[in-house]
Amino acid sequence: MAANKNKYKRRWGDRRDGRRVKVSGMQTIMASLWPKRTDCEVYLHDTIDVTEMMKYVERKNAEHPDLKTTFFHCVIAAVAKMVRERPLMNRFVQGRRVYERFDISVAFVAKLAFEDHAEEALLFFVPKDTDTVDNVSQMVVNKVKKVRSRGNQKAGVDDLLDKVAAFPRPIVMLICKIVRWLDFWGKNPAALTEGDPHYATVLLSNLGSIKCPAVYHHLNNYGTNSIMVTIGTIHEEERLMPDGSKQIRKVCDVGATLDERIGDGFYFARSLKLIHYICAHPELLDQPIGENSGFDYH
């Protein structure tokens, strides 16, 4: 279970955004032999049956027309629920040490307009254990509306990046060097890390919204993000069902890039199976994120 920063007593070696965890000798050595996250990327591609999820979205919107729920909102809630139930997915490696976050955080990029030169905004939020998909939908809708209502006016991380980028190149290089050094030791000020997708548990990219297939997106050595997921377009595909029949089902391709130092392939595979299970039983999203799914991993 992820550490709760309100109850957890900080110890020597902890960071502001996570507690240091004791791991196996192999993981400890890997963090030193391969200190760069981009050297430890593993890629995963899967096609998930989202037929039941799409039916669920239709029912939700018919019952609550005042609150529009989208497939992407359900994906965010499902991912948060998976991470809550699979705590190793909420770990990261920085400064050659392994940490576990105090909170689950999800980030994604929102286009201000569907145009080639339209600005992008970085959105970041922390779902609570008591949140359901309805809370997630409301939070996402409010954040997107707030960002788009600003037009070309920027705030938060976006505004800070523009200000730093305006300095001469040698100064920008020096600032970046200092920031990376602080990042290594976990001493970056909250103003630089809060709301930055590079510090999110999972960074999502809904490429399906722009009719683009799922791709593999690299991780970054800066920050603490260990999981990058892209979601492709929803399309129909003939599938063999458990009873031996063939049906046309709605499916979605997913591409994920993970830091292999936070877990092993077996753990990642079981976490993916949980996502499949939630998509097949979307009513679980009506339950709080912190409530166990009841999935039988055996």
Side-chain angles (χ1 to χ4, degrees), residues 18-237:
R19 65 180 181 91
R20 187 181 178 187
V21 292
K22 187 176 181 180
V23 295
S24 67
M26 178 180 290
Q27 284 181 287
T28 302
I29 296 301
M30 284 178 67
S32 289
L33 284 179
W34 298 285
K36 293 183 178 180
R37 196 171 293 117
T38 50
D39 291 337
C40 303
E41 295 175 333
V42 292
Y43 305 99
L44 180 153
H45 179 273
D46 198 11
T47 301
I48 301 176
D49 188 331
V50 296
T51 306
E52 299 306 319
M53 183 77 83
M54 296 306 295
K55 292 178 181 178
Y56 171 79
V57 170
E58 290 179 8
R59 290 197 304 269
K60 292 285 287 185
N61 289 327
E63 295 169 1
H64 306 283
D66 55 320
L67 176 61
K68 183 175 175 58
T69 300
T70 69
F71 171 69
F72 187 55
H73 298 164
C74 293
V75 169
I76 293 174
V79 167
K81 194 172 186 67
M82 179 274 290
V83 173
R84 181 66 179 78
E85 196 164 319
R86 308 285 290 168
L88 266 62
M89 303 299 283
N90 205 20
R91 290 186 174 183
F92 63 89
V93 179
Q94 188 54 276
R96 306 192 180 198
R97 291 177 175 175
V98 182
Y99 298 88
E100 186 173 300
R101 290 179 179 80
F102 291 118
D103 298 306
I104 296 170
S105 50
V106 181
F108 59 95
V109 177
K111 268 276 193 184
L112 300 186
F114 291 113
E115 299 173 359
D116 286 346
H117 302 292
E119 294 284 350
E120 292 182 336
L122 305 174
L123 300 183
F124 183 107
F125 73 97
V126 180
K128 301 175 184 176
D129 280 354
T130 55
D131 286 340
T132 65
V133 70
D134 291 336
N135 302 113
V136 171
S137 295
Q138 192 64 65
M139 283 190 290
V140 173
V141 169
N142 289 343
K143 282 182 176 289
V144 172
K145 281 183 178 179
K146 184 177 180 180
V147 168
R148 288 179 175 167
S149 67
R150 292 202 309 258
N152 293 326
Q153 294 181 340
K154 296 184 179 181
V157 176
D158 300 292
D159 184 49
L160 181 61
L161 290 175
D162 281 356
K163 289 179 179 178
V164 172
F167 288 115
R169 184 170 58 177
I171 297 179
V172 173
M173 292 171 62
L174 177 61
I175 291 174
C176 289
K177 189 172 183 179
I178 293 172
V179 167
R180 291 188 72 100
W181 183 84
L182 292 172
D183 183 48
F184 181 91
W185 295 103
K187 301 300 181 182
N188 265 343
L192 289 178
T193 61
E194 292 182 357
D196 185 347
H198 293 99
Y199 287 86
T201 302
V202 181
L203 179 54
L204 289 170
S205 180
N206 185 18
L207 297 179
S209 65
I210 55 174
K211 309 301 180 184
C212 183
V215 299
Y216 296 120
H217 192 291
H218 65 87
L219 298 175
N220 292 294
N221 294 322
Y222 172 73
T224 63
N225 173 247
S226 301
I227 306 173
M228 172 70 200
V229 179
T230 64
I231 304 163
T233 55
I234 297 173
H235 58 281
E236 293 185 341
E237 182 178 287

